[in-house]
Amino acid sequence: MKRLSALEKKIVHNDEYQSPGKLRVVCDTMLQGTGRYLRSCGVDVKIMENHEDHDVAIQSGLKEERIILSSGNPYKKILSHVGQDACYDVISQGAQDQATEVLRHFNVKVTPQDIFSRCQVCNGDEYVKMPSSDMTILSDRKDFLIGSGDTVLSLTSNPYDNQSLSKRFEEEYGIEFSNLTFMKSQAFIKIELIPKAMITKVDWFYVCATCGKIFWEGSHFSRICDQFSHILTLTEQDTNIYDHILNS
Ligand SMILES: [Zn+2]
């Protein structure tokens, strides 16, 4: 049987699931992919950049009260600085299995609502939900701004450059229509990354208000749901899977 950390004992004893948003972690550099998966499941994840060494992870963990995820020798070093309640040694191979291990270890219940509650790219947790019709308007605006739009349209006038539209985008989405940025974060909306044909095929888009990255349910959402279906299924059962793991 795997030896349990004090934190795991505490969680199992309490017999309670926690929501992904309650789990705050730092991913060491070798777990960057794992961190992105965990974000997709709604976990609050800080990911170390390649140039940042383990000391930075330790400082972030202590300062921001995040559990540090690492493995191998770097884990041993981190353990000696912060103690076992503040770090965790990920032993699985491959980012998806590693993310699953972490979710199970920390008794995290992932629901479909948690999927994409947090941006994979920047860890932001604020999304703007936008219908295809408005995304089309933004795409046309982008074309107009870079001068590669429909020639006839460009030579005549920009049908969208009017005050009522600017006001609506500002009020509904917090978006500055003139330059396609979020007013609060100043992030550019990354419309150029969506295939043109996709804009009319998808009903709803989710734009990260922190970094401007755009997601949509058809591909991103289903892919993550599929990849973590075992977790979603397991945690939706009433039985305590941790009892099962502990007794196996
Ligand atoms: Zn983002």
Side-chain angles (χ1 to χ4, degrees):
M1 185 190 290
K2 185 173 170 259
R3 197 171 65 82
L4 295 175
S5 71
L7 182 63
E8 189 172 23
K9 277 178 187 162
K10 182 166 158 259
I11 290 169
V12 171
H13 177 70
N14 286 344
D15 197 22
E16 284 177 3
Y17 291 116
Q18 62 173 329
S19 70
K22 291 274 162 52
L23 180 60
R24 291 163 50 79
V25 300
V26 179
C27 278
D28 208 350
T29 47
M30 78 290 279
L31 297 172
Q32 290 168 335
T34 313
R36 285 191 285 274
Y37 271 123
L38 289 171
R39 281 176 178 170
S40 295
C41 293
V43 179
D44 183 345
V45 186
K46 182 164 189 174
I47 300 175
M48 290 294 102
E49 303 286 344
N50 288 335
H51 63 273
E52 294 174 316
D53 65 16
H54 309 302
D55 290 333
V56 180
I58 291 169
Q59 292 310 316
S60 290
L62 293 174
K63 196 173 160 192
E64 300 172 28
E65 296 188 340
R66 293 173 181 273
I67 291 168
I68 305 165
L69 307 181
S70 188
S71 67
N73 286 331
Y75 168 76
K76 288 174 191 161
K77 181 186 173 186
I78 291 166
L79 176 66
S80 68
H81 279 82
V82 302
Q84 67 174 6
D85 285 356
C87 59
Y88 176 70
D89 183 14
V90 181
I91 55 174
S92 302
Q93 297 295 313
Q96 193 181 333
D97 286 348
Q98 288 167 338
T100 301
E101 178 190 333
V102 171
L103 292 170
R104 284 184 167 154
H105 177 86
F106 290 104
N107 221 15
V108 175
K109 177 174 182 169
V110 181
T111 67
Q113 289 74 36
D114 295 314
I115 303 291
F116 275 101
S117 61
R118 197 170 281 278
C119 176
Q120 230 182 19
V121 180
C122 75
N123 200 41
D125 61 356
E126 198 181 332
Y127 282 99
V128 163
K129 186 180 179 185
M130 187 178 288
S132 169
S133 53
D134 280 349
M135 192 57 78
T136 302
I137 292 173
L138 290 186
S139 178
D140 287 347
R141 174 71 184 166
K142 177 83 179 182
D143 286 347
F144 179 82
L145 288 176
I146 62 177
S148 64
D150 180 85
T151 313
V152 178
L153 190 70
S154 300
L155 286 175
T156 53
S157 63
N158 177 7
Y160 300 128
D161 194 8
N162 61 61
Q163 281 189 337
S164 64
L165 203 56
S166 292
K167 192 161 177 282
R168 185 167 74 78
F169 271 78
E170 179 183 331
E171 287 175 358
E172 283 185 30
Y173 304 119
I175 286 172
E176 171 62 56
F177 187 70
S178 65
N179 61 5
L180 303 177
T181 58
F182 279 102
M183 303 176 90
K184 202 163 131 191
S185 65
Q186 301 291 303
F188 283 100
I189 299 163
K190 298 185 170 63
I191 289 179
E192 66 278 8
L193 300 180
I194 314 179
K196 283 265 186 193
M198 192 61 73
I199 295 177
T200 51
K201 280 186 188 156
V202 177
D203 291 337
W204 291 97
F205 291 88
Y206 299 83
V207 191
C208 174
T210 310
C211 76
K213 168 97 177 168
I214 302 169
F215 302 90
W216 56 94
E217 285 200 342
S219 64
H220 302 104
F221 186 84
S222 324
R223 186 161 51 86
I224 292 295
C225 282
D226 286 348
Q227 284 168 330
F228 288 93
S229 59
H230 51 308
I231 287 288
L232 287 163
T233 308
L234 270 176
T235 53
E236 277 169 7
Q237 291 173 350
D238 289 328
T239 53
N240 184 344
I241 59 167
Y242 297 93
D243 284 342
H244 174 72
I245 292 168
L246 292 173
N247 293 328
S248 60

